[in-house]
Amino acid sequence: MNKMKTILISAFVLLTFCQIKAQNSLLNFKEENILINGVSVNVGNTMLKGDLDAINKSWKSFIKTHIKEKMREENGVLVIKETVVNQITDKRGDLLAYIYNKDNEISLNVSYKLGYDVYLDSKLYPTEFNKLKEFINYFVYNYYNDYLPKYIKENNKNLKALQKENNSAEQIIKKKEKQNNKLNQNNTKYQKNISKLDLKYSNIEDENKKIALNSSKLEKEKKIAENEKSITYNSGLISTQQSIITSLKPQVDTLTTDINSAKLTLIEVRSKVKTFK
């Protein structure tokens, strides 16, 4: 029975891991046809988190390491002309990389030009295009292997700061609600005392005693007014802190999702870096 329970729990954990990974993985290669300097180009595309200059530098370093050639920039496009990239094909051609900012991420677009307006694609060159995909993904694995630990560390720091702000707001709310409860209790006591004083006042004929009772009543009414003022002030603080918590929640949820996604992707890319051939 225990063995079966263990198997079921393990299966559930694995299924959950795969579902989260499928939803949040940072690996997102796709084939596209885009315009580069007015020319329609078939590319392998992937969206990357990080800084444009850092990714540009990382890509050029990766190419220099694995192809032993230096990419040069022409009209905003990185190019190696008349080369043979054995990891992709034995055909001579131009390796192109177009990198730019898109929707707060970096779009990396890589193509292999075989001739005039002829680029590797999945229809005419399925085997070689698949190798291009593998080559791009291998760069992504290497890039994220370096980038993600810093990304996770920085976002954990940001998440802790948001959680600290959230906890502070919750503590203020708790403190002010406690104060308001105490003030309301005191006001209830004062109201009861005032009712008793009113009853005594109606049954006393001595003017001096009436003046003393009235003075005591006014004192308690003053305390009630002061407490009501404090309750109103505290309620305003509570409302402000509740608004802060409400505004923090989507930020906390987004950061938590990003961190979990990054952790899962880091596990994946480290295994792929080791096994890629």
Side-chain angles (χ1 to χ4, degrees), residues 224-243:
I224 288 174
E226 289 173 349
N227 287 348
E228 288 294 342
K229 186 176 180 180
S230 295
I231 289 169
T232 300
Y233 176 76
N234 287 344
S235 297
L237 283 178
I238 290 170
S239 179
T240 299
Q241 299 307 310
Q242 287 173 334
S243 296

PDB file of all heavy atoms in Angstrom, residues 224-243:
ATOM      1  N   ILE A 224     -14.781  60.393  23.634  1.00  0.00           N
ATOM      2  CA  ILE A 224     -15.399  59.649  22.522  1.00  0.00           C
ATOM      3  C   ILE A 224     -15.056  60.315  21.194  1.00  0.00           C
ATOM      4  O   ILE A 224     -14.695  59.639  20.218  1.00  0.00           O
ATOM      5  CB  ILE A 224     -16.936  59.578  22.712  1.00  0.00           C
ATOM      6  CG1 ILE A 224     -17.283  58.637  23.853  1.00  0.00           C
ATOM      7  CG2 ILE A 224     -17.602  59.103  21.413  1.00  0.00           C
ATOM      8  CD1 ILE A 224     -18.763  58.618  24.216  1.00  0.00           C
ATOM      9  N   ALA A 225     -15.132  61.635  21.143  1.00  0.00           N
ATOM     10  CA  ALA A 225     -14.826  62.370  19.909  1.00  0.00           C
ATOM     11  C   ALA A 225     -13.359  62.187  19.513  1.00  0.00           C
ATOM     12  O   ALA A 225     -13.040  62.002  18.324  1.00  0.00           O
ATOM     13  CB  ALA A 225     -15.133  63.854  20.097  1.00  0.00           C
ATOM     14  N   GLU A 226     -12.475  62.227  20.511  1.00  0.00           N
ATOM     15  CA  GLU A 226     -11.044  62.022  20.232  1.00  0.00           C
ATOM     16  C   GLU A 226     -10.802  60.610  19.699  1.00  0.00           C
ATOM     17  O   GLU A 226     -10.017  60.406  18.759  1.00  0.00           O
ATOM     18  CB  GLU A 226     -10.233  62.264  21.497  1.00  0.00           C
ATOM     19  CG  GLU A 226     -10.173  63.730  21.928  1.00  0.00           C
ATOM     20  CD  GLU A 226      -9.492  63.917  23.271  1.00  0.00           C
ATOM     21  OE1 GLU A 226      -9.258  62.897  23.965  1.00  0.00           O
ATOM     22  OE2 GLU A 226      -9.205  65.079  23.631  1.00  0.00           O
ATOM     23  N   ASN A 227     -11.469  59.631  20.322  1.00  0.00           N
ATOM     24  CA  ASN A 227     -11.319  58.245  19.871  1.00  0.00           C
ATOM     25  C   ASN A 227     -11.864  58.051  18.462  1.00  0.00           C
ATOM     26  O   ASN A 227     -11.289  57.319  17.647  1.00  0.00           O
ATOM     27  CB  ASN A 227     -12.021  57.292  20.838  1.00  0.00           C
ATOM     28  CG  ASN A 227     -11.269  57.142  22.152  1.00  0.00           C
ATOM     29  OD1 ASN A 227     -10.114  57.569  22.264  1.00  0.00           O
ATOM     30  ND2 ASN A 227     -11.916  56.552  23.147  1.00  0.00           N
ATOM     31  N   GLU A 228     -13.002  58.701  18.181  1.00  0.00           N
ATOM     32  CA  GLU A 228     -13.583  58.600  16.837  1.00  0.00           C
ATOM     33  C   GLU A 228     -12.632  59.193  15.797  1.00  0.00           C
ATOM     34  O   GLU A 228     -12.501  58.668  14.689  1.00  0.00           O
ATOM     35  CB  GLU A 228     -14.931  59.328  16.786  1.00  0.00           C
ATOM     36  CG  GLU A 228     -16.058  58.626  17.521  1.00  0.00           C
ATOM     37  CD  GLU A 228     -16.438  57.297  16.891  1.00  0.00           C
ATOM     38  OE1 GLU A 228     -16.091  57.067  15.715  1.00  0.00           O
ATOM     39  OE2 GLU A 228     -17.077  56.475  17.574  1.00  0.00           O
ATOM     40  N   LYS A 229     -11.974  60.273  16.175  1.00  0.00           N
ATOM     41  CA  LYS A 229     -10.993  60.887  15.279  1.00  0.00           C
ATOM     42  C   LYS A 229      -9.833  59.926  15.015  1.00  0.00           C
ATOM     43  O   LYS A 229      -9.372  59.775  13.871  1.00  0.00           O
ATOM     44  CB  LYS A 229     -10.476  62.185  15.894  1.00  0.00           C
ATOM     45  CG  LYS A 229      -9.559  62.981  14.978  1.00  0.00           C
ATOM     46  CD  LYS A 229      -9.163  64.297  15.633  1.00  0.00           C
ATOM     47  CE  LYS A 229      -8.232  65.096  14.709  1.00  0.00           C
ATOM     48  NZ  LYS A 229      -7.834  66.389  15.336  1.00  0.00           N
ATOM     49  N   SER A 230      -9.361  59.254  16.090  1.00  0.00           N
ATOM     50  CA  SER A 230      -8.274  58.273  15.939  1.00  0.00           C
ATOM     51  C   SER A 230      -8.718  57.077  15.111  1.00  0.00           C
ATOM     52  O   SER A 230      -7.961  56.555  14.285  1.00  0.00           O
ATOM     53  CB  SER A 230      -7.807  57.796  17.325  1.00  0.00           C
ATOM     54  OG  SER A 230      -7.227  58.851  18.048  1.00  0.00           O
ATOM     55  N   ILE A 231      -9.975  56.642  15.313  1.00  0.00           N
ATOM     56  CA  ILE A 231     -10.515  55.505  14.546  1.00  0.00           C
ATOM     57  C   ILE A 231     -10.572  55.848  13.062  1.00  0.00           C
ATOM     58  O   ILE A 231     -10.208  55.034  12.201  1.00  0.00           O
ATOM     59  CB  ILE A 231     -11.920  55.125  15.077  1.00  0.00           C
ATOM     60  CG1 ILE A 231     -11.805  54.473  16.458  1.00  0.00           C
ATOM     61  CG2 ILE A 231     -12.611  54.163  14.099  1.00  0.00           C
ATOM     62  CD1 ILE A 231     -13.132  54.295  17.170  1.00  0.00           C
ATOM     63  N   THR A 232     -11.016  57.072  12.763  1.00  0.00           N
ATOM     64  CA  THR A 232     -11.089  57.510  11.361  1.00  0.00           C
ATOM     65  C   THR A 232      -9.695  57.552  10.740  1.00  0.00           C
ATOM     66  O   THR A 232      -9.491  57.109   9.597  1.00  0.00           O
ATOM     67  CB  THR A 232     -11.734  58.905  11.266  1.00  0.00           C
ATOM     68  OG1 THR A 232     -13.058  58.845  11.801  1.00  0.00           O
ATOM     69  CG2 THR A 232     -11.784  59.379   9.820  1.00  0.00           C
ATOM     70  N   TYR A 233      -8.726  58.070  11.501  1.00  0.00           N
ATOM     71  CA  TYR A 233      -7.342  58.136  11.006  1.00  0.00           C
ATOM     72  C   TYR A 233      -6.796  56.727  10.767  1.00  0.00           C
ATOM     73  O   TYR A 233      -6.198  56.453   9.715  1.00  0.00           O
ATOM     74  CB  TYR A 233      -6.475  58.880  12.024  1.00  0.00           C
ATOM     75  CG  TYR A 233      -5.010  58.914  11.652  1.00  0.00           C
ATOM     76  CD1 TYR A 233      -4.538  59.769  10.660  1.00  0.00           C
ATOM     77  CD2 TYR A 233      -4.092  58.087  12.298  1.00  0.00           C
ATOM     78  CE1 TYR A 233      -3.195  59.793  10.313  1.00  0.00           C
ATOM     79  CE2 TYR A 233      -2.748  58.105  11.954  1.00  0.00           C
ATOM     80  CZ  TYR A 233      -2.302  58.958  10.967  1.00  0.00           C
ATOM     81  OH  TYR A 233      -0.976  58.982  10.630  1.00  0.00           O
ATOM     82  N   ASN A 234      -6.999  55.838  11.737  1.00  0.00           N
ATOM     83  CA  ASN A 234      -6.517  54.461  11.601  1.00  0.00           C
ATOM     84  C   ASN A 234      -7.184  53.750  10.420  1.00  0.00           C
ATOM     85  O   ASN A 234      -6.539  52.982   9.702  1.00  0.00           O
ATOM     86  CB  ASN A 234      -6.784  53.676  12.885  1.00  0.00           C
ATOM     87  CG  ASN A 234      -5.857  54.072  14.009  1.00  0.00           C
ATOM     88  OD1 ASN A 234      -4.820  54.703  13.787  1.00  0.00           O
ATOM     89  ND2 ASN A 234      -6.214  53.715  15.238  1.00  0.00           N
ATOM     90  N   SER A 235      -8.470  54.014  10.243  1.00  0.00           N
ATOM     91  CA  SER A 235      -9.198  53.384   9.128  1.00  0.00           C
ATOM     92  C   SER A 235      -8.624  53.827   7.790  1.00  0.00           C
ATOM     93  O   SER A 235      -8.555  53.035   6.838  1.00  0.00           O
ATOM     94  CB  SER A 235     -10.686  53.731   9.206  1.00  0.00           C
ATOM     95  OG  SER A 235     -11.259  53.207  10.384  1.00  0.00           O
ATOM     96  N   GLY A 236      -8.215  55.095   7.717  1.00  0.00           N
ATOM     97  CA  GLY A 236      -7.576  55.590   6.494  1.00  0.00           C
ATOM     98  C   GLY A 236      -6.259  54.880   6.232  1.00  0.00           C
ATOM     99  O   GLY A 236      -5.965  54.508   5.086  1.00  0.00           O
ATOM    100  N   LEU A 237      -5.468  54.672   7.307  1.00  0.00           N
ATOM    101  CA  LEU A 237      -4.203  53.937   7.174  1.00  0.00           C
ATOM    102  C   LEU A 237      -4.453  52.498   6.739  1.00  0.00           C
ATOM    103  O   LEU A 237      -3.750  51.966   5.885  1.00  0.00           O
ATOM    104  CB  LEU A 237      -3.436  53.951   8.500  1.00  0.00           C
ATOM    105  CG  LEU A 237      -2.704  55.232   8.878  1.00  0.00           C
ATOM    106  CD1 LEU A 237      -2.031  55.075  10.241  1.00  0.00           C
ATOM    107  CD2 LEU A 237      -1.656  55.588   7.826  1.00  0.00           C
ATOM    108  N   ILE A 238      -5.463  51.884   7.337  1.00  0.00           N
ATOM    109  CA  ILE A 238      -5.804  50.503   6.980  1.00  0.00           C
ATOM    110  C   ILE A 238      -6.176  50.409   5.501  1.00  0.00           C
ATOM    111  O   ILE A 238      -5.718  49.514   4.779  1.00  0.00           O
ATOM    112  CB  ILE A 238      -6.960  49.986   7.861  1.00  0.00           C
ATOM    113  CG1 ILE A 238      -6.482  49.787   9.302  1.00  0.00           C
ATOM    114  CG2 ILE A 238      -7.521  48.670   7.311  1.00  0.00           C
ATOM    115  CD1 ILE A 238      -7.593  49.516  10.295  1.00  0.00           C
ATOM    116  N   SER A 239      -6.993  51.345   5.045  1.00  0.00           N
ATOM    117  CA  SER A 239      -7.410  51.364   3.639  1.00  0.00           C
ATOM    118  C   SER A 239      -6.206  51.534   2.712  1.00  0.00           C
ATOM    119  O   SER A 239      -6.106  50.855   1.671  1.00  0.00           O
ATOM    120  CB  SER A 239      -8.415  52.494   3.419  1.00  0.00           C
ATOM    121  OG  SER A 239      -8.812  52.558   2.074  1.00  0.00           O
ATOM    122  N   THR A 240      -5.289  52.426   3.096  1.00  0.00           N
ATOM    123  CA  THR A 240      -4.080  52.654   2.284  1.00  0.00           C
ATOM    124  C   THR A 240      -3.233  51.399   2.203  1.00  0.00           C
ATOM    125  O   THR A 240      -2.758  51.020   1.119  1.00  0.00           O
ATOM    126  CB  THR A 240      -3.246  53.802   2.883  1.00  0.00           C
ATOM    127  OG1 THR A 240      -4.016  55.007   2.883  1.00  0.00           O
ATOM    128  CG2 THR A 240      -1.973  54.024   2.076  1.00  0.00           C
ATOM    129  N   GLN A 241      -3.043  50.729   3.353  1.00  0.00           N
ATOM    130  CA  GLN A 241      -2.215  49.519   3.377  1.00  0.00           C
ATOM    131  C   GLN A 241      -2.880  48.373   2.611  1.00  0.00           C
ATOM    132  O   GLN A 241      -2.207  47.572   1.969  1.00  0.00           O
ATOM    133  CB  GLN A 241      -1.939  49.090   4.829  1.00  0.00           C
ATOM    134  CG  GLN A 241      -1.185  50.122   5.657  1.00  0.00           C
ATOM    135  CD  GLN A 241       0.095  50.580   5.003  1.00  0.00           C
ATOM    136  OE1 GLN A 241       0.922  49.767   4.566  1.00  0.00           O
ATOM    137  NE2 GLN A 241       0.288  51.894   4.920  1.00  0.00           N
ATOM    138  N   GLN A 242      -4.206  48.300   2.663  1.00  0.00           N
ATOM    139  CA  GLN A 242      -4.920  47.273   1.893  1.00  0.00           C
ATOM    140  C   GLN A 242      -4.750  47.506   0.396  1.00  0.00           C
ATOM    141  O   GLN A 242      -4.614  46.545  -0.379  1.00  0.00           O
ATOM    142  CB  GLN A 242      -6.403  47.280   2.272  1.00  0.00           C
ATOM    143  CG  GLN A 242      -6.680  46.693   3.652  1.00  0.00           C
ATOM    144  CD  GLN A 242      -8.123  46.854   4.086  1.00  0.00           C
ATOM    145  OE1 GLN A 242      -8.819  47.766   3.634  1.00  0.00           O
ATOM    146  NE2 GLN A 242      -8.568  45.988   4.981  1.00  0.00           N
ATOM    147  N   SER A 243      -4.728  48.783  -0.008  1.00  0.00           N
ATOM    148  CA  SER A 243      -4.500  49.114  -1.421  1.00  0.00           C
ATOM    149  C   SER A 243      -3.091  48.718  -1.843  1.00  0.00           C
ATOM    150  O   SER A 243      -2.874  48.235  -2.963  1.00  0.00           O
ATOM    151  CB  SER A 243      -4.703  50.619  -1.648  1.00  0.00           C
ATOM    152  OG  SER A 243      -6.034  50.997  -1.404  1.00  0.00           O
TER     153      SER A 243
END
